[in-house]
Amino acid sequence: MITLLKKPIALPILIGLGVILVVLINSSKSRPAADAQEEFATPARITTLSPKPVQPRFIGYGNAQPSSNLNVPAEVSAEVVWIHPELKQGRSLKAGTKVIEFEKRDFELTLSKVSADVNTQNIKVAELVIEERTTQQQYELAKQKIDLARSDFKRREALAKQGAIPLSTLDAEKQNLLAQESELENMILKLALYPKQRDVLRSSMQVAKAQQEEQQRNLNRTKITMPFDARIGSVNVEKGSFINKGSTLFVAQGKSQIEVLTQVPTKSMLPLISQAKGQKPKENSNSLIKQIGIEAKVYLVDGPDSAYWPAKVLRMNDSIDMQTRSLGLVIGIDNPKSQEVIGVRPPLLKGMYLKVELTAKAFPAITVPRSAIHEGHLYLMDQDNRLLIEPASFAFYQDDMAVLQTPPSHKQLVTTDLIPAVKGMLLKPVTNHIAEAKQ
């Protein structure tokens, strides 16, 4: 190696190597400066936020119950002599149809006796009226007779003083006058008692008529008719059996309306009433429901999509359920029988498990995907394509979307989960058409 360096060609070689080394060092120093000027932009899916119609919705569940569920009782104690052949569980009967008849002979006999008592009281009243009229006439005649008797007594008394007639004759006339005055007093007393007698007879008459009316009602109660169009539930009566008053004969389930009680958590009610926020509530619950504008639709759980019924919110419960902290809403389906379609919409029967969809009026709002929320913050892109991390407040959540309570400072929402997410970092926007379509 030393021998090679002593040669004349070694010096030019060393100089060339030094020049190459200096060039390499300079190029290596200038390259980082060029790289520092080129910042890396992170690709991010971007969605443009804008107000769009939002319709609050809630899904609840409940069992079908007829709005009218009547336990028909026996109103008399008697033997059953006839039952309608269609009075069986599951059958339907129209209003006014006679379904049960009791033995009525005992009630007819009792009614005949009470009716005879009423006739007797009528006769007594008529007799009293005639007697009172006769007594009044006799009283008038007695008054005239006593006036004449008094005049005659005074005349005879004057004659007796003159000695024209004996005193014995005068005494006889006085006795006659006293007898007539006593008779008149008895008539006055008798006339005074007639009003009391009339009151007693009227009371007896009212009692007799009340008994007659009661027995007539009992006689009418021996026939049981359907109070409304109904589907028959359980039947607890057989022909020939003796039924005690108050016993349940059968259960009639109304067909005009079906009700579903569904429980709505209080936090789920807030989206449904968001349109009425700030308004003064109406006086009663029915007006409040109309004011909020909640609409309902009922579906058959595990049934075809065609198995649904238009419905309406009838009323709300008077209190919150203490266990579930939810409010009960009663949903009504009118005339479900007329909506039955074979293979499409089955009959609504008591106890069916149903799904209730409640919707409120739509209103414009800005929504964001739940996946775009990062611990209560939103990732936004400013006009320089820089990342902004901004806290957000939400009115409510629905499905996989969240409704913003106040609009954000920028409209460009970052839907990519940036790791790491550094405020101010440069972004390369990629339009997220799927997220925009969901908004």
Side-chain angles (χ1 to χ4, degrees):
M1 184 68 178
I2 298 174
T3 306
L4 180 61
L5 292 175
K6 290 181 179 180
K7 292 183 180 182
I9 195 173
L11 182 59
I13 292 174
L14 291 174
I15 293 172
L17 291 174
V19 172
I20 292 172
L21 182 62
V22 170
V23 172
L24 290 175
I25 292 173
N26 290 335
S27 63
S28 64
K29 289 182 178 181
S30 60
R31 187 169 300 160
D35 291 343
Q37 295 177 359
E38 296 180 5
E39 184 179 3
F40 177 75
T42 303
R45 293 189 297 272
I46 304 299
T47 298
T48 302
L49 299 177
S50 61
K52 294 182 180 179
V54 174
Q55 187 173 41
R57 184 176 67 257
F58 171 78
I59 301 297
Y61 296 88
N63 296 318
Q65 293 290 338
S67 58
S68 302
N69 193 73
L70 179 62
N71 294 328
V72 181
E75 298 181 280
V76 294
S77 297
E79 179 186 355
V80 178
V81 296
W82 181 83
I83 297 178
H84 195 287
E86 293 297 314
L87 186 65
K88 296 179 181 178
Q89 188 172 9
R91 296 293 180 90
S92 297
L93 293 171
K94 292 185 177 181
T97 303
K98 186 176 73 170
V99 290
I100 295 175
E101 188 171 351
F102 292 97
E103 176 58 56
K104 60 183 180 179
R105 283 178 295 179
D106 292 341
F107 300 101
E108 290 175 340
L109 291 174
T110 305
L111 180 60
S112 298
K113 293 179 181 179
V114 175
S115 299
D117 291 341
V118 172
N119 293 331
T120 301
Q121 295 299 325
N122 284 329
I123 293 173
K124 288 183 178 181
V125 170
E127 289 177 346
L128 182 64
V129 171
I130 295 173
E131 183 180 345
E132 183 180 11
R133 186 182 303 118
T134 303
T135 304
Q136 184 67 37
Q137 293 173 354
Q138 292 175 350
Y139 170 72
E140 296 296 334
L141 293 173
K143 282 177 61 178
Q144 295 176 10
K145 287 172 66 177
I146 200 170
D147 290 338
L148 293 174
R150 284 171 180 169
S151 300
D152 188 54
F153 176 75
K154 288 179 180 181
R155 183 177 59 81
R156 289 179 181 274
E157 188 178 22
L159 292 173
K161 288 180 180 181
Q162 296 174 2
I165 61 173
L167 291 177
S168 59
T169 303
L170 181 63
D171 292 338
E173 288 293 333
K174 188 175 181 178
Q175 290 295 330
N176 183 37
L177 177 61
L178 291 174
Q180 292 185 23
E181 287 179 348
S182 177
E183 183 181 358
L184 185 64
E185 289 297 329
N186 291 334
M187 289 184 180
I188 293 174
L189 181 60
K190 190 174 183 180
L191 288 172
L193 292 177
Y194 280 124
K196 300 297 182 181
Q197 293 177 354
R198 283 199 303 271
D199 292 341
V200 172
L201 287 177
R202 286 196 186 100
S203 298
S204 300
M205 175 66 73
Q206 290 176 355
V207 172
K209 286 186 176 179
Q211 292 175 347
Q212 183 185 35
E213 184 179 351
E214 180 183 7
Q215 293 304 321
Q216 183 62 56
R217 287 201 305 270
N218 287 336
L219 184 60
N220 295 337
R221 289 167 179 165
T222 59
K223 296 180 181 179
I224 305 297
T225 58
M226 293 298 297
F228 45 78
D229 292 350
R231 180 179 283 110
I232 305 301
S234 59
V235 179
N236 308 312
V237 62
E238 294 181 359
K239 183 180 178 180
S241 59
F242 186 88
I243 304 298
N244 291 319
K245 183 178 179 179
S247 302
T248 299
L249 301 174
F250 60 93
V251 177
Q253 303 170 4
K255 299 165 56 179
S256 61
Q257 190 179 67
I258 292 293
E259 294 182 354
V260 183
L261 174 61
T262 184
Q263 298 293 335
V264 182
T266 51
K267 65 178 182 179
S268 299
M269 279 295 296
L270 295 177
L272 296 174
I273 64 175
S274 57
Q275 268 295 82
K277 183 178 180 180
Q279 299 181 18
K280 187 175 180 180
K282 301 296 184 180
E283 295 183 357
N284 55 63
S285 59
N286 294 335
S287 299
L288 178 61
I289 291 172
K290 292 180 180 179
Q291 181 181 6
I292 298 173
I294 299 178
E295 297 182 352
K297 189 179 286 188
V298 176
Y299 295 84
L300 180 62
V301 175
D302 297 331
D305 294 338
S306 59
Y308 73 90
W309 295 263
K312 59 184 178 182
V313 180
L314 298 178
R315 59 188 180 276
M316 61 179 66
N317 282 355
D318 60 338
S319 60
I320 299 294
D321 186 274
M322 298 303 295
Q323 295 182 348
T324 61
R325 309 303 301 173
S326 59
L327 177 65
L329 292 182
V330 179
I331 313 302
I333 305 170
D334 292 331
N335 300 318
K337 179 67 177 178
S338 62
Q339 302 183 46
E340 295 177 6
V341 180
I342 298 177
V344 177
R345 193 177 293 115
L348 272 179
L349 303 177
K350 179 181 177 181
M352 271 188 171
Y353 192 52
L354 303 173
K355 180 177 74 173
V356 178
E357 182 184 61
L358 301 176
T359 55
K361 294 179 181 178
F363 62 94
I366 296 177
T367 61
V368 298
R370 288 199 184 195
S371 59
I373 303 173
H374 308 276
E375 297 182 353
H377 292 71
L378 296 179
Y379 293 168
L380 303 172
M381 187 181 72
D382 62 10
Q383 61 275 12
D384 298 326
N385 291 0
R386 298 286 177 176
L387 177 65
L388 294 176
I389 302 178
E390 187 174 286
S393 57
F394 304 97
F396 59 90
Y397 299 89
Q398 184 167 284
D399 299 332
D400 59 347
M401 305 299 290
V403 179
L404 290 176
Q405 196 164 10
T406 56
S409 60
H410 291 75
K411 296 182 179 180
Q412 304 299 320
L413 174 69
V414 179
T415 57
T416 300
D417 191 9
L418 300 175
I419 301 177
V422 181
K423 184 178 180 179
M425 65 186 295
L426 184 64
L427 302 175
K428 181 181 180 181
V430 177
T431 304
N432 188 359
H433 298 287
I434 296 178
E436 289 185 355
K438 287 184 177 181
Q439 289 187 56

